[in-house]
Amino acid sequence: GENVEQHPSTLSVQEGDSAVIKCTYSDSASNYFPWYKQELGKGPQLIIDIRSNVGEKKDQRIAVTLNKTAKHFSLHITETQPEDSAVYFCAASSGRDDKIIFGKGTRLHILP
Amino acid sequence: ETGVTQTPRHLVMGMTNKKSLKCEQHLGHNAMYWYKQSAKKPLELMFVYNFKEQTENNSVPSRFSPECPNSSHLFLHLHTLQPEDSALYLCASSQAGTGVAEAFFGQGTRLTVV
């Protein structure tokens, strides 16, 4: 089955700087890669996603890149703000069974 | 609001108790999921229901018993739990069969087993 590895587990960046979180996956059939943000006391919420037919996608300060050959994808947050502090999860899914397999999460701290 | 509602938000139960977690989705989705989130193993997929049929059981102990009476409701029945079962239990729903499995999560039930 699919296995998703996520690094780092904790990340601290100065406000205004960029943050990068990286994930790898094992199942070459995976074709959908969502990223979720989980704030304290809430369930994970989708912030951006990418399909395997696209190499990069951007939404304001958030971007995701995908390298299918290397089976890795990354989340980039630019001009970080205090409200970006949260736990971020990457995930992978194939069209076969619609299961979403999550990475272990990255706790992002934005330092003032 | 994500369209997925879980109750209760918090639950404390003894190891001999029987309780149930409830999840309801108002999104018209056809698939529902239970995830367990703990400090040691975040976001473990427990059960998947697709069109009310259970399609996945990831070696979950029998003290957890899911029930999906219709595509909008999902329950997790709990009995004789162990302290290590204390965790945040998250319900999610999605539209299966589209190849884009965007999942919408509820806010979770924080379970403490004493």
Side-chain angles (χ1 to χ4, degrees):
Chain A
E2 176 64 278
N3 182 49
V4 177
E5 298 286 339
Q6 182 172 349
H7 300 280
S9 57
T10 306
L11 177 62
S12 296
V13 300
Q14 209 69 38
E15 182 178 349
D17 289 350
S18 296
V20 180
I21 302 170
K22 298 183 179 182
C23 290
T24 60
Y25 62 99
S26 60
D27 188 351
S28 57
S30 289
N31 57 6
Y32 176 64
F33 306 92
W35 286 87
Y36 286 81
K37 175 183 181 182
Q38 186 175 23
E39 297 176 322
L40 195 63
K42 297 184 178 180
Q45 290 200 317
L46 181 75
I47 55 171
I48 194 168
D49 55 14
I50 191 168
R51 301 190 197 192
S52 58
N53 59 348
V54 175
E56 184 174 359
K57 184 176 178 180
K58 189 173 181 180
D59 182 5
Q60 298 183 339
R61 297 187 296 109
I62 296 173
V64 58
T65 59
L66 171 65
N67 183 326
K68 282 190 63 180
T69 304
K71 295 201 191 90
H72 64 70
F73 55 114
S74 301
L75 177 72
H76 304 253
I77 306 174
T78 59
E79 300 172 21
T80 52
Q81 300 171 3
E83 55 265 34
D84 295 330
S85 293
V87 179
Y88 292 81
F89 293 94
C90 63
S93 175
S94 73
R96 291 175 300 190
D97 53 19
D98 292 310
K99 278 195 307 182
I100 304 174
I101 304 301
F102 287 84
K104 291 190 175 181
T106 296
R107 186 171 296 279
L108 176 63
H109 299 277
I110 305 302
L111 305 173
Chain B
E1 285 295 329
T2 62
V4 180
T5 303
Q6 288 187 245
T7 55
R9 292 291 309 278
H10 301 273
L11 178 62
V12 179
M13 60 185 289
M15 289 189 283
T16 59
N17 291 159
K18 289 184 179 181
K19 297 286 184 182
S20 295
L21 310 185
K22 179 182 176 182
C23 177
E24 183 175 0
Q25 59 99 358
H26 308 276
L27 301 169
H29 289 161
N30 56 18
M32 296 187 77
Y33 312 79
W34 280 117
Y35 284 87
K36 176 183 178 182
Q37 186 176 32
S38 60
K40 295 181 179 180
K41 295 183 180 180
L43 285 171
E44 297 176 76
L45 179 61
M46 299 174 70
F47 301 105
V48 179
Y49 275 83
N50 199 326
F51 295 100
K52 301 186 294 179
E53 298 296 324
Q54 187 181 130
T55 58
E56 188 81 17
N57 177 338
N58 277 350
S59 303
V60 180
S62 59
R63 57 186 183 269
F64 295 91
S65 175
E67 178 189 1
C68 189
N70 55 61
S71 57
S72 298
H73 293 84
L74 184 65
F75 295 90
L76 188 62
H77 304 300
L78 316 171
H79 64 97
T80 60
L81 294 192
Q82 304 297 313
E84 59 264 29
D85 296 322
S86 298
L88 181 68
Y89 289 85
L90 289 160
C91 172
S93 72
S94 71
Q95 190 61 21
T98 63
V100 179
E102 177 182 348
F104 292 80
F105 284 85
Q107 294 194 339
T109 295
R110 174 70 62 184
L111 174 67
T112 303
V113 181
V114 296

